[in-house]
Amino acid sequence: MDVEPDVLFEFVLVLKGDPRGIQRLSDSFAEYVADDDRPRTMHLREASCGYYRWIVDAIYDARGKMYLNIGWEKFARHHSLEAGFILLFSYFGDRDMSVKVFDERRCRRDYHGDSTDEEDN
């Protein structure tokens, strides 16, 4: 069984509006990574799944707010994200993050254990 590295920072994001659109991350997290010279990309992966990473561009506005931009739409589509889903982000440093997805029933969705053909929707 793979062991997750130590978590340096965690936060929750509730998807509102278009889940495939640009997503603003926690202000506290943006401040935390500002010490790392504001990373331009983040490497997202499903929690407990180290074999596939999604490279997503991180952008910042003039106030230092951080957003996931290019690459996020592919991640959202692949994971069939919908408004109302809750995402738990865990940051391990060096732009590496895992994401746990909870659906509208607040149940965790497990993708990497599923077959490649999604049959449950």
Side-chain angles (χ1 to χ4, degrees), residues 5 28 30 32 34 38 40 46 48 64 86 89 102 112 120:
S28 297
Y32 182 82
R38 291 186 175 176
R40 298 289 179 206
E46 298 162 31
S48 302
I86 297 171
F89 287 85
F102 297 84
H112 66 273
D120 59 343

Side-chain angles (χ1 to χ4, degrees), residues 72-105:
W72 173 255
E73 181 179 359
K74 288 181 182 180
F75 180 88
R77 283 187 190 279
H78 179 79
H79 294 88
S80 303
L81 299 183
E82 298 178 18
F85 279 23
I86 297 171
L87 308 180
L88 173 62
F89 287 85
S90 299
Y91 182 66
F92 305 105
D94 197 28
R95 303 176 294 160
D96 184 29
M97 299 181 86
S98 71
V99 183
K100 291 181 183 176
V101 178
F102 297 84
D103 64 21
E104 68 281 350
R105 298 169 294 149

Side-chain angles (χ1 to χ4, degrees), residues 10 14 16 20 23 26 40 57 64 96 105-106 108:
E10 282 188 309
V14 178
K16 299 177 183 173
R20 292 174 183 90
Q23 295 295 320
S26 157
R40 298 289 179 206
D57 285 354
D96 184 29
R105 298 169 294 149
R106 306 306 183 237
R108 182 169 172 205

